[in-house]
Amino acid sequence: WSWLLDRLTVQETRFFRHPPSFEFVTAHLQQLLSAGQESLSLWSVGCSTGEEAWSLAMSAAGAVSDSGRAAEFSVLASDISRTALAFARAGSYPRRRSNQLETQLCQRYLLAEDDGSHGVCNSLKPRVCFSRLNILELADMPVIDMDVIFCQNVLIYFRRWKRRNILDQLVRRLVPGGVLILGTGEINGWEHPQLVPVDNDKILAFARKE
């Protein structure tokens, strides 16, 4: 079953794959920190080989550093593929992947390894927890109070009605004021009584009402 899943799912990702979405995440985290929040919780749904999760961690680390506050942050990264999770958890990427990062970010968060690859720095690794999750079993996932839920390039695998069920489950796990970021074009005409669309034509995101 695991072998079949690895071949049916397209594990195509890269660091900061959709820059406007990550820019929005950083701005949102900065706003929370400015308001005095002392901890940040983020979730990468369908993290694949980890680049998305580490990108979120870098965004959070940058926001905390820029704020000058001693705030904590954590990233939950989930996927159904054990193979992808093992790769992501190791946090080591060949040069062709690490070169996707801006030079400044690469120097700050990645360390050169003997074989020419780059590994995630030790200060960032404890911030990310990788966990196996079947997104169809979200109802059994004890995850709540997320400030950011990042779910891009996941819903494409499901029929429209199932996408809506998945989104409803994700909304329940947002804190008031938390944001849900989806892939542009992944769902059209979806509304939820507890959400308001984010006014940004470069991204597809929703904020939970206060």
Side-chain angles (χ1 to χ4, degrees):
W1 176 242
S2 295
W3 177 89
L4 180 60
L5 283 173
D6 286 343
R7 281 147 185 81
L8 288 177
T9 55
V10 181
Q11 296 168 6
E12 172 61 32
T13 186
R14 59 180 180 273
F15 289 103
F16 294 92
R17 181 172 183 174
H18 188 245
S21 293
F22 285 97
E23 291 168 7
F24 170 72
V25 168
T26 299
H28 178 67
L29 297 180
Q30 289 172 337
Q31 185 177 17
L32 295 178
L33 293 167
S34 296
Q37 190 160 318
E38 298 181 352
S39 64
L40 305 169
S41 297
L42 302 88
W43 184 6
S44 170
V45 182
C47 67
S48 187
T49 49
E51 287 93 331
E52 179 180 282
W54 295 120
S55 297
L56 288 174
M58 293 176 195
S59 297
V64 170
S65 177
D66 291 344
S67 74
R69 296 171 54 84
E72 296 293 325
F73 69 90
S74 62
V75 178
L76 170 64
S78 61
D79 201 274
I80 195 171
S81 169
R82 290 189 174 89
T83 303
L85 285 171
F87 189 98
R89 194 176 288 114
S92 180
Y93 296 90
R95 186 174 296 275
R96 62 181 175 82
R97 295 201 189 189
S98 59
N99 283 345
Q100 300 162 357
L101 271 174
E102 295 179 3
T103 301
Q104 182 180 3
L105 290 174
C106 190
Q107 293 175 345
R108 187 174 184 179
Y109 296 115
L110 299 184
L111 300 173
E113 299 179 335
D114 293 339
D115 61 359
S117 60
H118 285 86
V120 176
C121 66
N122 293 331
S123 63
L124 209 60
K125 273 194 170 183
R127 302 288 186 173
V128 183
C129 175
F130 291 95
S131 177
R132 186 173 184 274
L133 169 69
N134 183 345
I135 199 170
L136 297 178
E137 300 172 354
L138 277 174
D140 300 325
M141 186 72 170
V143 177
I144 58 172
D145 296 341
M146 288 288 161
D147 297 300
V148 173
I149 297 180
F150 206 94
C151 182
Q152 291 191 338
N153 307 301
V154 176
L155 299 177
I156 56 175
Y157 295 105
F158 303 98
R159 294 181 182 273
R160 182 178 298 179
W161 67 271
K162 181 57 70 174
R163 295 180 191 184
R164 295 174 184 272
N165 289 346
I166 291 170
L167 290 171
D168 288 344
Q169 289 291 336
L170 292 178
V171 172
R172 296 176 186 176
R173 285 150 177 79
L174 281 173
V175 296
V179 294
L180 171 64
I181 301 104
L182 308 176
T184 55
E186 282 191 278
I187 191 164
N188 296 311
W190 177 69
E191 296 180 353
H192 192 283
Q194 292 180 301
L195 298 183
V196 292
V198 170
D199 186 15
N200 186 327
D201 59 6
K202 295 182 179 179
I203 65 173
L204 179 60
F206 302 85
R208 181 165 179 175
K209 295 176 182 178
E210 298 281 358

